[in-house]
Amino acid sequence: MQLIECPWCGPREETEFHYGGQAHVAYPRDPQALTDEEWARYVFYRANPKGLFAERWSHSAGCRRWFNAVRDTTTYRFHRVYRPDEQQPVIA
């Protein structure tokens, strides 16, 4: 079992967390003005890189807060966790 570091609660078992998708996806400024294709692109199209990737996670069985993490998609190893109000780290 892997431990994931919650920024508020500290290390907890991975079963307490839920994946929330790609981090740092900006909500459209005027969603009413988007075409169906543009809206679909916002809702469904996400990056799927091999390697380091910024993601959103929820500590659903703990404090229920959202946080961001940089995780390696090939090894599943978490490299860094950070609160949503913190700046995104540089991903090499």
Side-chain angles (χ1 to χ4, degrees), residues 29-48:
R29 289 185 186 190
D30 186 6
Q32 300 295 326
L34 297 180
T35 66
D36 288 346
E37 183 178 336
E38 291 169 329
W39 185 251
R41 203 167 278 293
Y42 166 72
V43 173
F44 299 111
Y45 288 67
R46 296 290 180 258
N48 188 21

Side-chain angles (χ1 to χ4, degrees), residues 10-57:
R12 298 291 192 269
E13 292 183 1
E14 65 183 312
T15 57
E16 294 188 16
F17 297 89
H18 282 95
Y19 175 75
Q22 182 177 350
H24 309 290
V25 176
Y27 190 77
R29 289 185 186 190
D30 186 6
Q32 300 295 326
L34 297 180
T35 66
D36 288 346
E37 183 178 336
E38 291 169 329
W39 185 251
R41 203 167 278 293
Y42 166 72
V43 173
F44 299 111
Y45 288 67
R46 296 290 180 258
N48 188 21
K50 184 176 183 179
L52 296 180
F53 187 53
E55 304 170 327
R56 296 184 55 193
W57 284 81

